[in-house]
Amino acid sequence: MIGSMAPRAILLDALGTLVELEPPAPALRALLRERHGVEVSDEQVGRALRAEMGHYRDNCVSAADASSLAALRERCVAILAERLGPAAQGVDRPGLLATLLDSLRFRPYAEVPGALERWRAAGLRLVVASNWDISLHDVLERTALRRLLDGVATSAEAGASKPAPQVFEAALALAGVGPGDALHVGDSLDADVAGARAAGIEAVWLNRSGEAVPGGVRAIATLDQLRP
């Protein structure tokens, strides 16, 4: 357990830390069949989703408002349609986009709501610092986590992705604390641990998969193990 810190705020990554994405390929394949009469293989769906998600990861920082988010989603669904092949070419793009979005289902990790509630009861400020577009606000509302948080800083709104300092700085501002009064928790050694440390914030690696822990890195397996 982590016991040597006495932070006033905890900054938290989102995907892989607070929420997980349910496997989207089975849902997308089923929805394509049910809604559009399109039959595609597991391989086709997997290839198409990998391409679409890769483009999203590289460009989500650009989606800072409703219009730029819509533009990003239009590019993503065009990539999806192309990679799905001829079977999907007759599907109208708005319909295909709705199907894609409905296949992306996020859920909190089991321990997350309880951990957030305990930390709030202890008087800690809780702010998300995540590489995500502005739709993260909606995701946190739908997963009932937003009410447990004091703020949400996304890379899109900050104008740069972790490990760059802008997201951390935005999260600190929302928390109302300086770097020395915060602790950041995330599942990426590069984006979260190295990024937070470069911003002057103590970091803890959330190592859910049980990988080898590098020297000098503080690690936990679940948020329940964090006792600030």
Side-chain angles (χ1 to χ4, degrees):
M1 294 183 182
I2 306 303
S4 62
M5 291 292 295
R8 293 170 52 204
I10 300 178
L11 312 184
L12 296 144
D13 177 50
L15 186 61
T17 300
L18 296 181
V19 298
E20 63 180 330
L21 176 64
E22 298 179 25
L28 179 58
R29 189 180 181 198
L31 289 172
L32 285 169
R33 181 188 309 113
E34 294 165 9
R35 295 180 177 180
H36 310 293
V38 171
E39 289 285 353
V40 288
S41 68
D42 289 336
E43 181 182 357
Q44 285 175 295
V45 168
R47 182 173 62 245
L49 279 172
R50 285 192 295 274
E52 182 273 329
M53 290 180 172
H55 181 83
Y56 170 81
R57 283 192 300 270
D58 291 342
N59 294 277
C60 68
V61 69
S62 69
D65 55 30
S67 61
S68 54
L69 176 60
L72 174 61
R73 286 176 169 174
E74 286 175 8
R75 293 193 296 273
C76 285
V77 79
I79 291 169
L80 183 77
E82 177 185 353
R83 295 304 178 93
L84 284 174
Q89 297 309 306
V91 180
D92 66 282
R93 290 296 168 80
L96 185 57
L97 176 58
T99 294
L100 171 61
L101 293 177
D102 287 345
S103 73
L104 303 177
R105 301 165 183 175
F106 297 93
R107 61 191 176 199
Y109 287 98
E111 86 280 9
V112 166
L116 297 181
E117 288 171 355
R118 286 195 304 273
W119 298 338
R120 282 179 67 86
L124 291 162
R125 300 280 290 174
L126 305 176
V127 176
V128 168
S130 181
N131 287 346
W132 207 303
D133 65 69
I134 58 164
S135 69
L136 177 58
H137 297 276
D138 296 329
V139 169
L140 294 172
E141 288 284 356
R142 290 197 301 270
T143 54
L145 296 181
R146 184 62 184 87
R147 63 182 179 83
L148 301 174
L149 300 164
D150 296 295
V152 178
T154 67
S155 58
E157 290 161 302
S161 299
K162 297 181 297 184
Q166 286 92 327
V167 181
F168 298 105
E169 292 166 354
L172 290 173
L174 290 171
V177 302
D181 288 321
L183 178 71
H184 178 72
V185 184
D187 67 314
S188 168
L189 284 171
D190 180 31
D192 294 305
V193 176
R197 287 177 171 178
I201 304 167
E202 179 63 30
V204 174
W205 182 34
L206 182 54
N207 180 17
R208 292 189 182 276
S209 58
E211 299 175 43
V213 179
V217 172
R218 305 168 74 183
I220 55 176
T222 75
L223 293 184
D224 279 338
Q225 294 178 340
L226 185 70
R227 304 288 181 182

